[in-house]
Amino acid sequence: MTSYFTPSPSLLIRDMGSNDRPRERLRLHGPRALSDAELIALILGSGRTGVSALTLARQILLSVDHDLHELARRDLIAFESLRGVGEAKAMRLIASLELGRRREHAFSTSKPLLSDSEQTFRYLRPLLGDLQHEEFHVLCLNQAHRLLGREQISSGGVTATVADAKQIFRRALAYAGVTTLVLAHNHPSGRAQPSAADVHLTNKLARAARYLDLTIIDHIIVAGRRFYSFADHQALPDE
């Protein structure tokens, strides 16, 4: 199996001074004092023959150019392909990254205020930012732009997903007090610009919503850590 890494000499963690070991540093200084590599080493628990957990953690980070967002996009197969990362280590990495994602999204349970594109993106990013396939969601808001609920409409392939208008509006109208909607989907490619199909769908849904006394106030495209807002770009159809 092809490895991401080339062998390199390594000082084993047991050979380090006690104050240099990740566990000791965590105990003495707390988790915020640790580097990304040290935190990953603690998650891994061990390295491989001749290579410490800390060196293995540094190699894992190097494979994604030290980009934690890209690391969170890795699936089980991708982690297991790294030399020294078996199934157990891969599962620990995925579980820890998922916990971080859920913590980031935890505020959603308090019906957040989504009054602008930045707030809406911060809500959506943990849901859509790391996906390798497209999903289409609709956010149902009240008149004060408080989130009443979120509905996943569809899940598709790498380049496209399908959003059915009847399903969107049927689900939205199930929320008492709903007045406004935000459409949302992701681009796994990382390209935030809308496609011609995205523009056509947005115009179609925005016009149809008016017949139901609903207003689509934005369509957010999540592309990793970047996003595109139809409202910010004045790309929604005129009244």
mmCIF file of all heavy atoms in Angstrom, residues 140-159:
data_model
loop_
_atom_site.group_PDB
_atom_site.id
_atom_site.type_symbol
_atom_site.label_atom_id
_atom_site.label_comp_id
_atom_site.label_asym_id
_atom_site.label_seq_id
_atom_site.Cartn_x
_atom_site.Cartn_y
_atom_site.Cartn_z
ATOM 1 N N CYS A 140 -35.353 27.276 8.423
ATOM 2 C CA CYS A 140 -36.673 27.898 8.596
ATOM 3 C C CYS A 140 -36.593 28.887 9.759
ATOM 4 O O CYS A 140 -36.281 28.492 10.894
ATOM 5 C CB CYS A 140 -37.721 26.829 8.870
ATOM 6 S SG CYS A 140 -37.782 25.538 7.602
ATOM 7 N N LEU A 141 -36.874 30.153 9.469
ATOM 8 C CA LEU A 141 -36.717 31.223 10.457
ATOM 9 C C LEU A 141 -38.054 31.893 10.736
ATOM 10 O O LEU A 141 -38.948 31.915 9.885
ATOM 11 C CB LEU A 141 -35.728 32.282 9.957
ATOM 12 C CG LEU A 141 -34.407 31.811 9.333
ATOM 13 C CD1 LEU A 141 -33.585 33.001 8.886
ATOM 14 C CD2 LEU A 141 -33.623 30.944 10.290
ATOM 15 N N ASN A 142 -38.140 32.495 11.932
ATOM 16 C CA ASN A 142 -39.322 33.308 12.216
ATOM 17 C C ASN A 142 -39.074 34.746 11.770
ATOM 18 O O ASN A 142 -38.029 35.063 11.176
ATOM 19 C CB ASN A 142 -39.707 33.219 13.694
ATOM 20 C CG ASN A 142 -38.617 33.779 14.623
ATOM 21 O OD1 ASN A 142 -37.720 34.515 14.200
ATOM 22 N ND2 ASN A 142 -38.706 33.433 15.893
ATOM 23 N N GLN A 143 -40.008 35.628 12.086
ATOM 24 C CA GLN A 143 -39.911 37.007 11.599
ATOM 25 C C GLN A 143 -38.699 37.737 12.164
ATOM 26 O O GLN A 143 -38.171 38.666 11.549
ATOM 27 C CB GLN A 143 -41.191 37.770 11.944
ATOM 28 C CG GLN A 143 -41.343 39.080 11.188
ATOM 29 C CD GLN A 143 -42.755 39.628 11.295
ATOM 30 O OE1 GLN A 143 -43.575 39.114 12.043
ATOM 31 N NE2 GLN A 143 -43.052 40.673 10.544
ATOM 32 N N ALA A 144 -38.248 37.304 13.351
ATOM 33 C CA ALA A 144 -37.074 37.913 13.985
ATOM 34 C C ALA A 144 -35.775 37.254 13.539
ATOM 35 O O ALA A 144 -34.707 37.558 14.064
ATOM 36 C CB ALA A 144 -37.201 37.824 15.501
ATOM 37 N N HIS A 145 -35.867 36.356 12.551
ATOM 38 C CA HIS A 145 -34.715 35.638 12.008
ATOM 39 C C HIS A 145 -34.075 34.678 13.012
ATOM 40 O O HIS A 145 -32.880 34.395 12.941
ATOM 41 C CB HIS A 145 -33.665 36.610 11.452
ATOM 42 C CG HIS A 145 -34.118 37.330 10.229
ATOM 43 N ND1 HIS A 145 -33.349 38.281 9.590
ATOM 44 C CD2 HIS A 145 -35.278 37.267 9.531
ATOM 45 C CE1 HIS A 145 -34.013 38.768 8.546
ATOM 46 N NE2 HIS A 145 -35.189 38.148 8.503
ATOM 47 N N ARG A 146 -34.892 34.182 13.944
ATOM 48 C CA ARG A 146 -34.452 33.117 14.835
ATOM 49 C C ARG A 146 -34.720 31.777 14.154
ATOM 50 O O ARG A 146 -35.760 31.585 13.523
ATOM 51 C CB ARG A 146 -35.210 33.157 16.165
ATOM 52 C CG ARG A 146 -34.834 34.323 17.056
ATOM 53 C CD ARG A 146 -33.566 34.038 17.812
ATOM 54 N NE ARG A 146 -33.164 35.177 18.647
ATOM 55 C CZ ARG A 146 -32.023 35.232 19.321
ATOM 56 N NH1 ARG A 146 -31.174 34.208 19.258
ATOM 57 N NH2 ARG A 146 -31.725 36.286 20.042
ATOM 58 N N LEU A 147 -33.771 30.866 14.295
ATOM 59 C CA LEU A 147 -33.913 29.559 13.654
ATOM 60 C C LEU A 147 -34.988 28.738 14.352
ATOM 61 O O LEU A 147 -34.930 28.498 15.557
ATOM 62 C CB LEU A 147 -32.582 28.808 13.695
ATOM 63 C CG LEU A 147 -32.574 27.422 13.054
ATOM 64 C CD1 LEU A 147 -32.737 27.527 11.545
ATOM 65 C CD2 LEU A 147 -31.292 26.674 13.402
ATOM 66 N N LEU A 148 -35.977 28.309 13.595
ATOM 67 C CA LEU A 148 -37.006 27.409 14.101
ATOM 68 C C LEU A 148 -36.632 25.951 13.855
ATOM 69 O O LEU A 148 -36.969 25.073 14.647
ATOM 70 C CB LEU A 148 -38.349 27.706 13.425
ATOM 71 C CG LEU A 148 -38.922 29.104 13.627
ATOM 72 C CD1 LEU A 148 -40.172 29.291 12.783
ATOM 73 C CD2 LEU A 148 -39.211 29.361 15.104
ATOM 74 N N GLY A 149 -35.944 25.699 12.764
ATOM 75 C CA GLY A 149 -35.551 24.331 12.450
ATOM 76 C C GLY A 149 -34.784 24.269 11.147
ATOM 77 O O GLY A 149 -34.804 25.203 10.343
ATOM 78 N N ARG A 150 -34.087 23.154 10.965
ATOM 79 C CA ARG A 150 -33.311 22.912 9.752
ATOM 80 C C ARG A 150 -33.754 21.595 9.155
ATOM 81 O O ARG A 150 -33.926 20.606 9.860
ATOM 82 C CB ARG A 150 -31.816 22.864 10.068
ATOM 83 C CG ARG A 150 -30.942 22.402 8.898
ATOM 84 C CD ARG A 150 -29.475 22.315 9.321
ATOM 85 N NE ARG A 150 -29.276 21.449 10.466
ATOM 86 C CZ ARG A 150 -29.162 20.124 10.408
ATOM 87 N NH1 ARG A 150 -29.215 19.498 9.229
ATOM 88 N NH2 ARG A 150 -28.970 19.419 11.514
ATOM 89 N N GLU A 151 -33.924 21.567 7.846
ATOM 90 C CA GLU A 151 -34.343 20.358 7.152
ATOM 91 C C GLU A 151 -33.327 20.005 6.064
ATOM 92 O O GLU A 151 -32.994 20.854 5.230
ATOM 93 C CB GLU A 151 -35.718 20.548 6.509
ATOM 94 C CG GLU A 151 -36.853 20.734 7.503
ATOM 95 C CD GLU A 151 -37.192 19.460 8.245
ATOM 96 O OE1 GLU A 151 -37.061 18.372 7.644
ATOM 97 O OE2 GLU A 151 -37.590 19.550 9.421
ATOM 98 N N GLN A 152 -32.824 18.779 6.110
ATOM 99 C CA GLN A 152 -31.984 18.292 5.010
ATOM 100 C C GLN A 152 -32.913 17.784 3.925
ATOM 101 O O GLN A 152 -33.706 16.871 4.137
ATOM 102 C CB GLN A 152 -31.056 17.176 5.462
ATOM 103 C CG GLN A 152 -30.189 16.645 4.322
ATOM 104 C CD GLN A 152 -29.247 15.535 4.764
ATOM 105 O OE1 GLN A 152 -28.821 15.489 5.916
ATOM 106 N NE2 GLN A 152 -28.936 14.628 3.850
ATOM 107 N N ILE A 153 -32.825 18.385 2.757
ATOM 108 C CA ILE A 153 -33.720 18.050 1.650
ATOM 109 C C ILE A 153 -33.172 16.920 0.808
ATOM 110 O O ILE A 153 -33.904 16.035 0.375
ATOM 111 C CB ILE A 153 -33.987 19.291 0.775
ATOM 112 C CG1 ILE A 153 -34.549 20.436 1.630
ATOM 113 C CG2 ILE A 153 -34.928 18.959 -0.375
ATOM 114 C CD1 ILE A 153 -35.837 20.098 2.358
ATOM 115 N N SER A 154 -31.876 16.938 0.561
ATOM 116 C CA SER A 154 -31.308 15.888 -0.284
ATOM 117 C C SER A 154 -29.823 15.744 -0.036
ATOM 118 O O SER A 154 -29.169 16.619 0.538
ATOM 119 C CB SER A 154 -31.562 16.197 -1.766
ATOM 120 O OG SER A 154 -30.952 17.421 -2.121
ATOM 121 N N SER A 155 -29.294 14.614 -0.472
ATOM 122 C CA SER A 155 -27.872 14.323 -0.387
ATOM 123 C C SER A 155 -27.467 13.699 -1.709
ATOM 124 O O SER A 155 -28.083 12.730 -2.148
ATOM 125 C CB SER A 155 -27.597 13.365 0.773
ATOM 126 O OG SER A 155 -26.233 13.021 0.842
ATOM 127 N N GLY A 156 -26.455 14.277 -2.348
ATOM 128 C CA GLY A 156 -26.096 13.830 -3.686
ATOM 129 C C GLY A 156 -24.671 13.396 -3.820
ATOM 130 O O GLY A 156 -24.033 12.983 -2.849
ATOM 131 N N GLY A 157 -24.153 13.536 -5.034
ATOM 132 C CA GLY A 157 -22.799 13.111 -5.334
ATOM 133 C C GLY A 157 -21.782 14.200 -5.051
ATOM 134 O O GLY A 157 -21.997 15.103 -4.250
ATOM 135 N N VAL A 158 -20.683 14.133 -5.759
ATOM 136 C CA VAL A 158 -19.594 15.078 -5.546
ATOM 137 C C VAL A 158 -19.908 16.423 -6.187
ATOM 138 O O VAL A 158 -19.481 17.465 -5.713
ATOM 139 C CB VAL A 158 -18.272 14.507 -6.111
ATOM 140 C CG1 VAL A 158 -17.151 15.525 -6.025
ATOM 141 C CG2 VAL A 158 -17.898 13.236 -5.368
ATOM 142 N N THR A 159 -20.654 16.429 -7.269
ATOM 143 C CA THR A 159 -20.837 17.656 -8.041
ATOM 144 C C THR A 159 -22.250 18.208 -8.026
ATOM 145 O O THR A 159 -22.469 19.327 -8.467
ATOM 146 C CB THR A 159 -20.440 17.428 -9.512
ATOM 147 O OG1 THR A 159 -21.243 16.370 -10.059
ATOM 148 C CG2 THR A 159 -18.973 17.047 -9.603
#
